[in-house]
């Protein structure tokens, strides 16, 4: 019975931590090895990032080709969201072409405050073609408590008998005894 209680308590506590609200700052850094959608010239890729009902778009990297660079950061307010979905498109006259998708998991950033990863880009066929590099930072709602907000540490069992509760002020100790007593 105690073991079951421990696992249940651990599960509840880890769930609370995973669902702590705050802001995820997601930086879309670059992509490598994407599918080329333009037959003439180089493609002009951009990303659409979705997290819950929030949507952002990177700028278009004109002539970015298979290895575009964006280096753009977007703030997402998160409560229960644990991932973002990124769609990479090629900007064209008329309809834009689908390049691929990537999914970014927030769990490491929520646990440790930061994360940097390269995730696979998946084509419509389901095959991987290229990588997307992102970095994440998580700031909990309300931030850390201000300095001094924690109560002072107290010994769980109190002060042992015969010991002072705090060191005496300077000069309150008796002088140390002399070296050795004189021989008889």
């Amino acid at each position: 019975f105690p073991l079951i209680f421990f696992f249940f308590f651990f599960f509840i506590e880890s769930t609370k931590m995973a669902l702590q609200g705050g802001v995820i700052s997601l930086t879309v850094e670059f992509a490598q090895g994407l599918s080329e959608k333009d037959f003439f010239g180089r493609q002009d890729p951009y990303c659409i990032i979705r997290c819950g009902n929030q949507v952002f778009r990177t700028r278009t990297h004109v002539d970015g080709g298979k290895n575009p660079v964006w280096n753009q950061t977007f703030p997402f307010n998160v409560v229960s969201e644990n991932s973002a979905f990124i769609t990479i498109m090629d900007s064209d006259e008329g309809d834009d072409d689908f390049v691929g998708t990537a999914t970014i998991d927030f769990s490491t950033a929520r646990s440790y405050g930061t994360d940097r990863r390269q995730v696979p880009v998946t084509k419509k066929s389901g095959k991987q073609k290229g990588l997307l590099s992102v970095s994440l930072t998580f700031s909990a709602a309300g931030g850390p408590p201000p300095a001094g907000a924690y109560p002072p540490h107290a010994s769980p069992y109190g002060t042992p008998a015969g010991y002072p509760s705090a060191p005496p002020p300077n000069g309150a100790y008796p002088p140390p005894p002399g070296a050795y007593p004189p021989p008889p």
Side-chain angles (χ1 to χ4, degrees):
F1 176 73
L3 190 60
I4 293 171
F5 177 75
F6 171 76
F7 285 117
F8 179 74
F9 178 77
F10 180 77
F11 174 76
I12 295 298
E13 287 302 309
S14 64
T15 303
K16 285 180 189 175
M17 187 174 112
L19 298 179
Q20 181 178 16
V23 176
I24 289 277
S25 294
L26 188 151
T27 301
V28 181
E29 297 174 337
F30 61 88
Q32 289 181 323
L34 298 178
S35 295
E36 182 70 57
K37 294 297 177 182
D38 287 348
F39 294 110
F40 301 105
R42 294 172 57 167
Q43 66 187 0
D44 307 316
Y46 65 91
C47 297
I48 299 170
I49 306 106
R50 290 182 176 85
C51 177
N53 61 359
Q54 302 164 86
V55 180
F56 290 99
R57 182 191 189 279
T58 65
R59 66 181 171 274
T60 300
H61 184 168
V62 176
D63 289 332
K66 295 179 180 183
N67 303 308
V69 176
W70 296 285
N71 283 327
Q72 285 186 269
T73 303
F74 304 96
F76 290 96
N77 293 312
V78 294
V79 177
S80 60
E81 298 85 0
N82 282 320
S83 58
F85 303 96
I86 299 180
T87 304
I88 303 173
M89 302 292 288
D90 172 28
S91 180
D92 283 329
E93 296 289 328
D95 292 335
D96 293 348
D97 296 324
F98 175 85
V99 176
T101 60
T103 302
I104 311 301
D105 181 63
F106 294 161
S107 60
T108 301
R110 282 188 154 191
S111 296
Y112 299 103
T114 63
D115 189 18
R116 174 178 242 140
R117 56 182 55 216
Q118 290 187 345
V119 294
V121 175
T122 307
K123 301 187 317 181
K124 281 185 182 176
S125 66
K127 292 185 179 181
Q128 177 186 335
K129 181 65 174 162
L131 295 171
L132 180 68
S133 180
V134 298
S135 62
L136 306 162
T137 58
F138 176 67
S139 301
Y150 295 105
H153 176 71
S155 173
Y157 303 109
T159 303
Y163 290 95
S165 60
N170 286 343
Y173 286 110
Y180 290 103

